Amino acid sequence: MMCLESDGAGTGGSSQDCIPGAGDGGVETLSGRMNPITTVLDMKSPEMESPSSKASLPEKPLNMRRARVAAAGILSVGNVLNYLDRYTVAGVLLDIQQHFGVKDSGAGLLQTVFICSFMVAAPIFGYLGDRFNRKVILSCGIFFWSAITFSSSFISKQYFWLLVLSRGLVGIGEASYSTIAPTIIGDLFTKNTRTLMLSVFYFAIPLGSGLGYITGSSVKQVAGDWRWALRVSPVLGMITGTLILIFVPVAKRGHAEQLKARSSWFRDMKALIRNRSYVFSSLATSTVSFATGALGMWIPLYLNRAQVVQKAVEPCNSGPCSTKDSLIFGVITCITGFLGVITGAGATKWCRLKTQRADPLVCAVGMLGSAIFICLVFVAAKSSIEAAYICIFAGETLLFSNWAITADMLMYVVIPTRRATAVALQSFTSHLLGDAGSPYLIGFISDLIQENTNKSPLWEFLSLGYALMLCPFVVVLGGMFFLATALYFLEDRAKAEQQVIQPMMPPASVKV
């Protein structure tokens, strides 16, 4: 329990008000101990509560807690569907290339256009999310991308540009969700519970991505047509959007921390740009997006080409093509996503016993370790697909270990009424500098190398491998940005805590 002692001013004595789920003298989160933030709720005196109110307290908070946990669960399911839809296309990419007759750069354009529209729409939804009904915006976004994805499954082979356009529209719909949903969770919970719920929410990213590959390859295999893979997520999306409208509460912004003051958009942006922890962690997140966007789009195809060179499989010149690599990669992504969240949380908890800068330092070590294993993937793939998968497993686990930690760091260094804007700006930056261009850039470099070499399965494999070698260098850069974040993390966290405390601090002094 975390107990805040009042000096008893106004009540005639000292008192303790304990907040459930917190540790003595600090907050015990999923990944360790954080210093406490004093709120108005922490300073209540027992004399202020009547016997009848005390008797009704256990049942009402229990029901509210269950409702909030259910809401967080629904939001996490929605996040799974967002990424499932996003990577279903990657799961059947080889079939799409054969059906529409496009090269690597054309295939990469599908993801690049999606991310470009996503990042442009994110700041807009961030502004709306800080000012209007968030669950209505979320539901409308899900209904929109579900309808577009379902319609895109009927596009004929003469209209590849229409498929590209549809992915751009889907990006707009999904931007509303990724920008706003975490801020609702941030307002429903605080401290250790918020860390846990955000970890579940962000575990949905690798889980949904992996399920996208699995869904795309499995549904295509069963139906015998890749188009059916695009018709699964829309149905589930419609159901989830309806559940959000019905069961997700309208959480007040900053309600969990009792912060009600709101500043202008320009003041929010100015404060975020001056927040050095936020800036460096956003740049680090951009490198993660670059790597995950490129590797997620191209690794299954790269491994397929490796097996063609090793004569383990025949080259696919007409559909339907083998989706075994997409299926295996999807399963690996699901497992490594779970292990990454647990590994990151556990490592941070242990490191916090040594330093309060554990969060960014754990992220930095994870990034640098991931870069090593990503490099080994391209070495191993030339002779052993099994060894390549082992390196992918280790590299993804380390890469995914920072997702929930990064989100939690943002919640600590940014005040509640500014979080939707902060998430939106971070999303815009990470996509602009990351996966908005990386899938197309890798495909473009691969095509450029092939144009200057003899056309053969060997050079198709090597050219894509050389292009993907850009990823580990970008990941190392991300590790450097996380180290820079560690320099300013404690200072920026203290500033955010002070802004939460000052508007509601009573005249009586409070000792922690």
Side-chain angles (χ1 to χ4, degrees), residues 127 130-131 260-269 271 415 417-418 421 499:
Y127 176 86
D130 276 337
R131 289 158 179 82
K260 299 180 183 297
R262 178 184 295 168
S263 56
S264 67
W265 185 81
F266 290 103
R267 186 175 178 182
D268 289 346
M269 295 296 290
I415 62 174
T417 55
R418 201 171 280 156
T421 299
Q499 290 183 66

Side-chain angles (χ1 to χ4, degrees), residues 86-404:
R86 183 180 303 188
Y87 285 97
T88 296
V89 171
V92 292
L93 186 62
L94 190 55
D95 291 275
I96 291 176
Q97 282 188 286
Q98 294 297 332
H99 180 77
F100 290 99
V102 295
K103 297 181 179 180
D104 288 349
S105 56
L109 193 62
L110 289 171
Q111 188 74 350
T112 293
V113 169
F114 171 91
I115 296 298
C116 285
S117 63
F118 183 101
M119 71 177 186
V120 170
I124 299 173
F125 285 114
Y127 176 86
L128 297 175
D130 276 337
R131 289 158 179 82
F132 299 101
N133 191 309
R134 290 179 288 186
K135 73 173 187 176
V136 172
I137 298 174
L138 287 183
S139 298
C140 290
I142 290 180
F143 293 147
F144 179 75
W145 72 249
S146 296
I148 296 297
T149 298
F150 187 81
S151 301
S152 68
S153 66
F154 297 97
I155 296 174
S156 60
K157 64 174 64 178
Q158 295 88 357
Y159 298 99
F160 178 71
W161 65 269
L162 197 55
L163 180 64
V164 174
L165 176 63
S166 70
R167 297 310 295 170
L169 295 176
V170 169
I172 295 175
E174 293 190 14
S176 66
Y177 200 92
S178 298
T179 302
I180 297 174
T183 68
I184 296 180
I185 295 177
D187 287 331
L188 289 175
F189 306 96
T190 58
K191 305 297 183 292
N192 58 318
T193 311
R194 182 175 67 195
T195 303
L196 175 61
M197 293 303 170
L198 284 174
S199 296
V200 173
F201 181 82
Y202 282 100
F203 166 60
I205 297 179
L207 177 62
S209 302
L211 290 176
Y213 294 104
I214 295 171
T215 300
S217 57
S218 300
V219 173
K220 191 219 75 168
Q221 200 70 28
V222 172
D225 189 343
W226 65 269
R227 295 181 183 87
W228 280 99
L230 300 182
R231 296 167 187 170
V232 175
S233 57
V235 176
L236 300 175
M238 291 290 184
I239 296 173
T240 304
T242 304
L243 292 177
I244 289 174
L245 281 176
I246 297 173
F247 293 107
V248 174
V250 182
K252 294 181 180 179
R253 295 162 183 85
H255 176 69
E257 284 111 330
Q258 300 295 313
L259 185 64
K260 299 180 183 297
R262 178 184 295 168
S263 56
S264 67
W265 185 81
F266 290 103
R267 186 175 178 182
D268 289 346
M269 295 296 290
K270 185 177 179 180
L272 292 173
I273 293 173
R274 289 182 173 180
N275 189 324
R276 289 171 292 186
S277 296
Y278 173 78
V279 170
F280 281 120
S281 63
S282 296
L283 291 174
T285 304
S286 300
T287 64
V288 176
S289 296
F290 185 98
T292 55
L295 296 173
M297 190 74 176
W298 293 112
I299 281 294
L301 183 59
Y302 174 74
L303 294 178
N304 178 268
R305 291 180 178 179
Q307 292 174 83
V308 170
V309 171
Q310 297 171 18
K311 301 188 183 303
V313 299
E314 293 295 325
C316 180
N317 298 317
S318 61
C321 301
S322 173
T323 55
K324 182 186 72 172
D325 295 296
S326 294
L327 181 62
I328 296 174
F329 186 72
V331 173
I332 290 176
T333 302
C334 290
I335 297 173
T336 54
F338 175 76
L339 291 178
V341 170
I342 298 300
T343 302
T348 306
K349 181 177 180 179
W350 182 82
C351 289
R352 278 184 179 167
L353 300 174
K354 309 294 182 182
T355 173
Q356 283 292 305
R357 303 179 193 272
D359 301 65
L361 290 177
V362 168
C363 291
V365 172
M367 293 285 283
L368 297 175
S370 176
I372 296 173
F373 285 102
I374 293 173
C375 283
L376 292 176
V377 170
F378 308 114
V379 176
K382 296 179 180 180
S383 57
S384 173
I385 295 299
E386 292 77 12
Y389 276 126
I390 292 173
C391 294
I392 291 171
F393 188 95
E396 282 195 340
T397 299
L398 292 170
L399 193 62
F400 294 158
S401 66
N402 66 66
W403 269 342

